[in-house]
Amino acid sequence: ALDIFRAIMKYMEDLPRGKMSDVELVQIIMQYGLDRPEQDMSAPQQMTFADEIYCQIMKQCNSNPKPDSLIKGFELLSICCGMFLPCEALFPYVIAFAMTACEAYANNEAVVNLARDCLDRIAMQKQLPETMVRRLPPSSQEIMAVVTGGQMQQLVYFTNSQSKTIDIDNSTEIIEFVE
């Protein structure tokens, strides 16, 4: 948990990061969240590293006086919401935190957009079947799309030797891609 906390603090620029890039820090943090220990079926509300990450990010964002750090925290929260869900016990708190942020930071467009993005991403994650749970951390392209508020572009090659660039995001499913 301490390694996760340090990585979050470095990403939010609340600790010196050394030579690590944003992408490296996000990938480290997300890998911890994706590493799912075997669940004890007698304890269905068992906390995971993913839950620890959610809690630490929300704690760092809560009343954070540094606007740039706050934005970076919500970037990280948005990426988490697109990667893995919190446990059922924590889920309503994450939703409430993002909804409250939309009101509390109404004068900070970047935070409001990222908080709304959190709500959208977590709603999409909630709808995914268990078989579509992510196993790998986000690519540098995915991370940059969240940070810049844009979409990713994927060049697709067809069997007739033509190609087309298609806009996608981290929740695009193959069926949408084929259509």
Side-chain angles (χ1 to χ4, degrees), residues 20-21 25-26 46 57 60 83 85 107 112 117 139 143 155 164:
M20 296 189 84
S21 70
L25 288 165
V26 168
Q46 180 179 351
I57 293 169
Q60 276 306 111
M83 296 291 298
L85 289 171
N107 61 339
V112 170
D117 194 42
S139 68
I143 294 166
L155 182 61
K164 182 178 180 180

Side-chain angles (χ1 to χ4, degrees), residues 130-149:
E130 187 65 29
T131 56
M132 294 183 71
V133 171
R134 294 242 352 204
R135 307 271 187 260
L136 299 172
S139 68
S140 57
Q141 189 179 18
E142 286 178 277
I143 294 166
M144 294 314 297
V146 170
V147 170
T148 62

Side-chain angles (χ1 to χ4, degrees), residues 79-146:
I79 294 168
C80 286
C81 291
M83 296 291 298
F84 43 76
L85 289 171
C87 69
E88 287 299 317
L90 187 58
F91 187 84
Y93 295 99
V94 174
I95 297 294
F97 183 80
M99 291 175 73
T100 301
C102 289
E103 295 173 20
Y105 299 105
N107 61 339
N108 188 329
E109 184 180 356
V111 171
V112 170
N113 288 339
L114 287 163
R116 286 183 183 142
D117 194 42
C118 289
L119 294 169
D120 292 344
R121 288 170 180 271
I122 210 163
M124 286 186 275
Q125 281 291 319
K126 192 81 169 156
Q127 294 174 3
L128 290 177
E130 187 65 29
T131 56
M132 294 183 71
V133 171
R134 294 242 352 204
R135 307 271 187 260
L136 299 172
S139 68
S140 57
Q141 189 179 18
E142 286 178 277
I143 294 166
M144 294 314 297
V146 170

